[in-house]
Amino acid sequence: MCLGVPARIVKIEGKEAIAEVGGIRREISIELLNDIKEGDWVIVHAGFAISKLDEEEADTMLNILSHIPEE
Amino acid sequence: MKFIEEFRDKELCQRVLAKIKSYGFPAIFMEVCGTHTVSLFRFGIRQMLPPTIKVISGPGCPVCVTSQQDIENALALASLPNTILLTFGDMMKVPAKSGSLERKRAEGADVRVVYSPLDALKIAKNNPDKLCIFLAVGFETTAPATASSILRARDENLRNFKVFSLHKLIPPAMRAILEMGESKIQGFICPGHVSTIIGAKPYRFIPEEYGIPCVIAGFEPLDILQAIYMLMDMLDKGTSDVKIQYKRAVREEGNPLALEIMWKVFEEGDAVWRGLGYLPSTALKIREEFSDYDAMYLLKDMPVTEAEENPLCRCGEVIRGVAEPTECPLFKRVCNPSQPIGPCMVSSEGTCSAYYKYAPS
Ligand code: SF4
Ligand code: SF4
């Protein structure tokens, strides 16, 4: 029923924004998040951005995993 | 694509898998979220795991856990004159004694699929002479969006907009499953998107009271494998905690703004869950203050068909993680996604539909 998908915010107008989801642009609401800027990545669910994606955390995780020694 | 491709890296998956295998003891985990169910199949994760590690599906699809009576209630609302019933696509096909929403529509009722509660609001605005009822299902992921649509309707004094809230809370359903004790769960893969809203704290009772570790996980293969690795590690060390694997999207405290909006409009109420039965304080009920927007009151003096479940359908057990769809006598024989007998075959995140689509026959 509900697929939350990563999307990039391309334009903001008040509490509304245009987000790019897999190449498709769509109008979403950003009222559930504070301080969202253009260019940010968010999770979009049922037309609302519900969480901001943290690039640093993503890199940290990938970095930790890439240090698992090959067996 | 960013935030997706990197988390599908084959070589990294193999390394994490090797770690998981290195533990060498058996384990049973439950994934609570329907989107995890789909990922586990889609990426073949079940087959990659050693046969001693079992991952079973839980009550994580809002369509599946909606009770048969609530479907009848929705059908009754859809039959009201001069009414538009709006809901998410997956609700359309759920069968009940008096039909399905899809059938109601074929019979002439105005039932429409929306993608967001805000679309429902827009339709209400454009149809001022019609009663527009949004049939709202979903867990903590979706409830703040519904709440915000109610707040907006109030701000704009949109009196023809009503919400029939079937929103439910996830952590108490996990408690109910543990209390039933039928499935020997040793760890939970907690729903990533519910957790973006509620954070880690609402799961704390699981390690504290039941000694069972929890990992909040994302939905890509590396996310799920790492979550299983983290669970194995806690089992190995004999510890239990709530850990966040999906740190790029989930913070310890969740999304305080979304929670504030959700609790402004909703309060805890009682709910009947398919498979889990009556569970007090697990529903999100619209507060009295917003009763003008609550469709529940419309049902008060309406005739509603009494629900009846197909005795052969085993969705209830599938939701509790005690039966696999393949154990259902109707699976694939009479029950399939185009002619579903139960909700677990309807929703794209339903366990039966995931088995149907991806499991080797
Ligand atoms: S994304 Fe949310 S509503 Fe959808 S299946 Fe997962 S937890 Fe349930
Ligand atoms: S296969 Fe169909 S009838 Fe059987 S449990 Fe699943 S949804 Fe119900």
Side-chain angles (χ1 to χ4, degrees), chain A residues 1-6 15-16 21-23 26-34 41 43-55 57-59 61-62 64-71, chain B residues 1-4 6-7 11-12 15-16 18-19 35 62-63 88 90 115-118 137 141-142 144-145 148 152 193 196-197 222-223 226 229 245-249 251 255 257 261 347-349:
Chain A
M1 182 204 98
C2 68
L3 288 183
V5 285
K15 287 180 171 183
E16 309 286 303
V21 189
R26 139 181 291 173
E27 227 178 272
I28 62 160
S29 165
I30 49 169
E31 65 185 277
L32 299 179
L33 291 175
N34 280 324
W41 282 79
I43 296 281
V44 174
H45 174 80
F48 284 74
I50 55 169
S51 169
K52 187 171 152 179
L53 283 163
D54 187 327
E55 257 185 274
E57 287 288 359
D59 290 339
M61 174 198 146
L62 290 168
I64 291 173
L65 292 181
S66 64
H67 282 89
I68 294 178
E70 277 177 87
E71 322 223 342
Chain B
M1 203 202 309
K2 205 172 178 184
F3 291 114
I4 296 183
E6 297 93 325
F7 296 92
E11 201 216 297
L12 280 186
R15 287 199 210 177
V16 180
K19 274 282 168 198
T35 308
V63 179
F88 297 127
D90 281 344
Y115 160 74
S116 157
L118 291 180
V137 293
T141 340
T142 338
S148 120
R152 245 192 240 199
H193 292 146
T196 62
I197 308 291
L222 252 186
D223 291 320
Q226 191 190 12
Y229 170 31
Q245 178 279 330
Y246 197 29
K247 282 206 173 133
R248 62 188 184 279
R251 337 264 170 254
N255 179 340
L257 183 58
I261 290 174
S347 159
S348 40
E349 283 113 58

Side-chain angles (χ1 to χ4, degrees), chain B residues 240-255:
Chain B
S240 58
D241 196 357
V242 180
K243 294 205 168 159
I244 305 174
Q245 178 279 330
Y246 197 29
K247 282 206 173 133
R248 62 188 184 279
V250 177
R251 337 264 170 254
E252 192 69 30
E253 72 285 359
N255 179 340

Side-chain angles (χ1 to χ4, degrees), chain B residues 292-308:
Chain B
D292 283 355
Y293 302 94
D294 193 348
M296 198 74 86
Y297 293 100
L298 298 170
L299 284 167
K300 281 223 161 86
D301 13 62
M302 273 179 70
V304 177
T305 309
E306 214 173 298
E308 211 173 79

Side-chain angles (χ1 to χ4, degrees), chain B residues 76-92:
Chain B
L77 290 173
S79 318
L80 281 169
N82 214 27
T83 295
I84 307 176
L85 189 97
L86 304 134
T87 193
F88 297 127
D90 281 344
M91 290 303 285
M92 295 297 286

Side-chain angles (χ1 to χ4, degrees), chain A residues 7-26:
Chain A
R8 195 173 58 93
I9 303 284
V10 290
K11 199 164 166 247
I12 294 179
E13 254 168 58
K15 287 180 171 183
E16 309 286 303
I18 305 287
E20 204 173 78
V21 189
I24 299 161
R25 291 191 172 199
R26 139 181 291 173

